[in-house]
Structure formats: C-alpha cells, structure tokens
Amino acid sequence: MLMPQTPFSLANRFLQGRGGDLVEALRTWRVWIPPKGASQGMQQGGMFVFEGRTAVFEHRDQGTGAFASLTKVLEAAAVPGGGASCDSGGL
C-alpha cells in the first residue's frame, strides 16, 4: 500500500535539488523478487536515540524517504548546534 508520505518525501527531495542520485540509481534498477503480499512490501525504517534504556527520540518512517530530521536526531543526542548544517530535510 502506498502511503501519502512517500510521494511527498520524494517530491521534497527533488525540490531541494537532491534527486539526481535517485534518478541515476533508478536507470539500472530492476525488481529482483516481487513482494509476497502487502506486509513484505511495507517495511519501513526509523530512528531512535536512547539515554540508557530510555528512548529520548523516536521516529518511525511513514513512507519511503520520509526520514527523521537529522537536526532533531542530533539535538536529541545532545550534539552541540543540533547539526543544523547537515539536516536531510526529512518530514
């Protein structure tokens, strides 16, 4: 099932001028093994920051390319400046 976040995150990537590598990769990409049902095709990632055993930041990707903001991740990890210069622009 296609989540609405997927096309928005891909559009955001292109609007920020970061789509060239994706276009290049897709030129040679071929499906090797088709998904067996919706559950196999719906694997998403996420990002977690822990302080000891406590999660101080959680992000579950809602769609392909809907990553956590790197700035927010670094802020949660108490990195000085929050890594503002390296934000991926996630949703």
Side-chain angles (χ1 to χ4, degrees):
M1 174 198 287
L2 182 66
M3 302 297 289
Q5 292 84 353
T6 299
F8 288 125
S9 63
L10 291 173
N12 188 35
R13 181 180 182 132
F14 280 94
L15 289 173
Q16 294 177 357
R18 299 182 295 116
D21 58 340
L22 182 58
V23 170
E24 184 63 31
L26 289 175
R27 286 186 181 145
T28 58
W29 180 77
R30 301 288 181 263
V31 176
W32 288 68
I33 302 172
K36 296 178 183 175
S39 64
Q40 189 177 22
M42 286 298 296
Q43 294 179 353
Q44 299 295 338
M47 180 74 64
F48 298 87
V49 176
F50 290 90
E51 185 174 323
R53 296 179 67 134
T54 303
V56 295
F57 179 86
E58 298 180 22
H59 173 87
R60 290 171 177 81
D61 297 347
Q62 295 295 308
T64 303
F67 305 113
S69 163
L70 184 55
T71 299
K72 290 179 181 179
V73 172
L74 293 175
E75 286 173 354
V79 173
S85 65
C86 57
D87 192 349
S88 65
L91 297 177

